[in-house]
Amino acid sequence: MKYFWTFFWTFALVQMLTYVASSMIGVQYEFETGAILGVAATIVILIFPAIIPDEPSGKEGIH
């Protein structure tokens, strides 16, 4: 279920961002561009936690 909601909110927010950005620069809004960017952003968001290590770095005392 977390994958669905991640996709849903990422897709919706990227569509809004695409609409606002296209309005600001004066070009036509295209749904397909937002859809492709939404899917790509969702994939990045889901892969990013798998890349980050879970264990502590071992440098707790060094500041």
Side-chain angles (χ1 to χ4, degrees):
M1 200 64 185
K2 70 178 180 179
Y3 300 118
F4 171 76
W5 288 115
T6 301
F7 173 72
F8 175 79
W9 285 112
T10 304
F11 190 82
L13 292 172
V14 168
Q15 286 295 332
M16 289 188 283
L17 177 66
T18 305
Y19 177 76
V20 170
S22 65
S23 295
M24 289 176 66
I25 61 175
V27 297
Q28 184 177 359
Y29 166 71
E30 294 185 17
F31 179 81
E32 295 84 16
T33 303
I36 292 169
L37 291 173
V39 170
T42 302
I43 291 170
V44 169
I45 289 171
L46 293 175
I47 289 176
F48 191 68
I51 295 172
I52 298 174
D54 262 354
E55 66 272 353
S57 65
K59 299 180 182 178
E60 291 84 18
I62 302 173
H63 292 284

